Amino acid sequence: MVEHGAPPPEQLSLYEDWVRPPIVQEDLQARLRQLEHRAALKSKPVVDPTGILYFEDSSVTLSVTQCEMLTPLVARYGQIIYRSELREILERSGSSSSSNALDLHVMRLRRRLQIVGLAMRNVWGRGFVLEPV
């Protein structure tokens, strides 16, 4: 909590937030949920060389193409991966890299990710972010 009239904190870690009193209970709860979400990003998924995705206490097998698509999403977990990057991966793997083909691969990958509690969220007009459900 920051006193009324005091300057806001200049440097906060990813897992900190601040408020000025009085704060509405709903606002406080929303900020707490956001901090919990950020903390969940700390436990990162891992794809092993055999094509198994591990996240928290779950695992799921993936196809070769799904592993290739997931590699940048896991490496930059919680950050945007642009559609163009995923299309390039499909081109290198010999698959069609059309927009419809990419959407089909993303749909299939999303189904696999649900099993371990992960989601690929659309970032409209840009790409996707891998995050916990």
Side-chain angles (χ1 to χ4, degrees), residues 5 28 30-31 35 55 61-62 74 76 78 103 112 115 119-120:
L28 181 61
R31 292 182 111 140
L35 286 170
F55 182 66
T61 57
L62 302 170
V74 168
R76 298 193 323 250
D103 292 340
R112 303 301 291 163
I115 296 170
M120 269 179 77

Side-chain angles (χ1 to χ4, degrees), residues 41 73-80 121 128-132:
L41 288 174
L73 288 156
V74 168
R76 298 193 323 250
Y77 185 57
Q79 299 175 19
I80 295 175
R121 181 174 53 87
F128 304 94
V129 172
L130 183 64
E131 61 187 13

Side-chain angles (χ1 to χ4, degrees), residues 37-83:
H37 179 73
R38 288 184 213 152
L41 288 174
K42 193 170 80 175
S43 69
K44 291 182 72 171
V46 175
V47 179
D48 77 5
T50 64
I52 300 175
L53 169 67
Y54 296 94
F55 182 66
E56 295 179 346
D57 296 330
S58 302
S59 64
V60 65
T61 57
L62 302 170
S63 71
V64 173
T65 302
Q66 289 171 338
C67 284
E68 291 171 357
M69 288 178 65
L70 202 55
T71 298
L73 288 156
V74 168
R76 298 193 323 250
Y77 185 57
Q79 299 175 19
I80 295 175
I81 304 302
Y82 295 97
R83 287 181 66 88

